[in-house]
Amino acid sequence: MRVTDSQFNAIMQRALMDNNIRLNRVFEQMSTGKKLNHLSDDPIAAVRLEGLKKNISDNQQYQRNIENVQSQLTRYETNINTLEELSQQINELLLQGKNGALDTESRAGIVLELKSLKEEMLTTLNQKNEGSYLFSGTDIFTAAIDTTTYAFTGNNDYRQTKVGDDQYVNNNLTITDVIGSNVIFTSLDSAIAELEAPTVGFEAALGTALESNQQVHQTILELLTDIGSQYNSLDRQKETSIDMVFFAETVTTSLEELDYAEASTELNQSMIALEATQKTFARIAGISLFDLI
């Protein structure tokens, strides 16, 4: 097959262009410190790199979400601990109040304390955080309970937060979670009324109040245990997310960051190849038939 001058020139120019492209690619890699600067550098690796970066971003967001939920759980735990202490004090006062030997003055003192503890319990259930009611479900701008009728005025819905791929957790508690119903307050009012003016229903009223309060106290203790369990579970989820980020970052580094020793070797090889091609092209292009005559 005969190679014409124009074909030879095209071949040599193509070789020079390829060497220049390779050289420029190495220069760019060394200036940016990255092996992949364009999709064309390695399409498969570039697509994989995008997937890894999304994985890192998602898991870092999950970690922030977990921390927010844990912060909210801590806030709930503080308020529920307060309710547990109030319930314990109410229990002690009701037991004292059942003592039929108490004089009028002693019962009056118990009444004052019970009224105060009841109001503090209502205030705690209507606690706010940054303008949002804690125990009102998703109806965060409505108080959880009416302090006069004891009607639950929020709702029992939950807000959810994403803490993993296809994994969501509730980030709020409702008043129903905490005290079950408003019976504790209606029974307390009945007990207080009997302590102020005893009737034949005295024993029954204080017994009902004690039972209601003990049920609430048990619910609160179980809820505190559940909060601790949720917090620990989120800790484990967060550790898993941290491990996933670490793994993805390690793989990303191996795909993306440049090995300067390897790049220097490639640079030298490219420069040698370019120089050899240039010399060959110059030597052959300079040959003329007149030189052979």
Side-chain angles (χ1 to χ4, degrees):
M1 178 180 176
R2 181 174 178 272
V3 178
T4 65
D5 288 345
S6 61
Q7 288 175 323
F8 170 75
N9 286 335
I11 292 170
M12 294 305 296
Q13 286 173 1
R14 177 66 184 178
L16 287 169
M17 185 174 69
D18 287 345
N19 278 319
N20 274 317
I21 290 173
R22 184 182 175 192
L23 198 59
N24 288 334
R25 177 171 165 269
V26 177
F27 277 133
E28 184 179 25
Q29 288 176 333
M30 296 185 76
S31 66
T32 62
K34 295 181 178 181
K35 284 192 289 188
L36 301 176
N37 292 289
H38 307 282
L39 184 63
S40 57
D41 291 340
D42 188 338
I44 295 175
V47 170
R48 189 181 178 196
L49 193 60
E50 285 304 308
L52 287 166
K53 287 180 177 180
K54 184 179 185 305
N55 184 276
I56 291 170
S57 176
D58 287 348
N59 277 282
Q60 288 174 337
Q61 183 62 55
Y62 297 154
Q63 290 168 38
R64 289 190 292 271
N65 290 351
I66 288 170
E67 289 169 358
N68 289 336
V69 174
Q70 287 182 318
S71 176
Q72 188 76 336
L73 285 175
T74 300
R75 193 172 293 114
Y76 278 114
E77 184 179 36
T78 299
N79 285 281
I80 294 169
N81 273 322
T82 298
L83 291 169
E84 191 274 331
E85 292 172 7
L86 294 172
S87 178
Q88 185 63 41
Q89 292 177 52
I90 288 171
N91 195 70
E92 292 170 2
L93 289 169
L94 288 172
L95 286 173
Q96 290 177 35
K98 282 191 72 176
N99 185 350
L102 288 177
D103 56 30
T104 303
E105 192 173 300
S106 297
R107 287 200 304 272
I110 291 174
V111 165
L112 286 174
E113 288 189 67
L114 284 174
K115 286 181 177 179
S116 176
L117 291 170
K118 184 191 75 170
E119 290 304 318
E120 192 173 347
M121 185 177 278
L122 287 167
T123 298
T124 303
L125 290 169
N126 279 335
Q127 191 66 252
K128 285 183 179 182
N129 176 55
E130 297 180 353
S132 300
Y133 287 97
L134 287 176
F135 297 103
S136 295
T138 57
D139 191 3
I140 59 174
F141 299 116
T142 300
I145 185 170
D146 187 300
T147 57
T148 303
T149 66
Y150 310 133
F152 292 172
T153 48
N155 61 44
N156 288 320
D157 297 332
Y158 297 99
R159 299 183 299 275
Q160 292 196 317
T161 298
K162 190 172 186 179
V163 296
D165 294 337
D166 301 320
Q167 186 173 357
Y168 296 81
V169 296
N170 296 334
N171 65 19
N172 69 298
L173 296 172
T174 71
I175 189 170
T176 304
D177 293 327
V178 182
I179 63 171
S181 69
N182 64 358
V183 172
I184 177 62
F185 297 111
T186 57
S187 62
L188 263 179
D189 282 347
S190 296
I192 289 170
E194 287 295 331
L195 286 166
E196 288 177 321
T199 69
V200 292
F202 180 86
E203 289 288 338
L206 266 71
T208 299
L210 266 170
E211 184 179 351
S212 298
N213 183 66
Q214 287 167 357
Q215 287 177 351
V216 167
H217 192 256
Q218 183 61 34
T219 299
I220 287 173
L221 291 177
E222 290 173 358
L223 189 55
L224 286 171
T225 300
D226 188 51
I227 288 173
S229 177
Q230 288 183 58
Y231 198 99
N232 292 336
S233 177
L234 287 169
D235 264 343
R236 290 190 292 272
Q237 179 67 27
K238 184 178 177 182
E239 287 301 319
T240 299
S241 185
I242 289 172
D243 289 342
M244 291 180 72
V245 168
F246 177 75
F247 173 76
E249 286 178 338
T250 301
V251 177
T252 296
T253 298
S254 68
L255 288 174
E256 188 175 46
E257 291 190 7
L258 183 68
D259 182 333
Y260 277 93
E262 183 181 321
S264 295
T265 300
E266 186 175 353
L267 177 63
N268 289 332
Q269 291 175 345
S270 297
M271 293 183 72
I272 291 170
L274 178 63
E275 185 178 352
T277 302
Q278 288 174 333
K279 286 181 178 179
T280 300
F281 181 58
R283 182 174 298 174
I284 295 177
I287 294 176
S288 170
L289 288 175
F290 293 105
D291 297 330
L292 302 175
I293 296 176

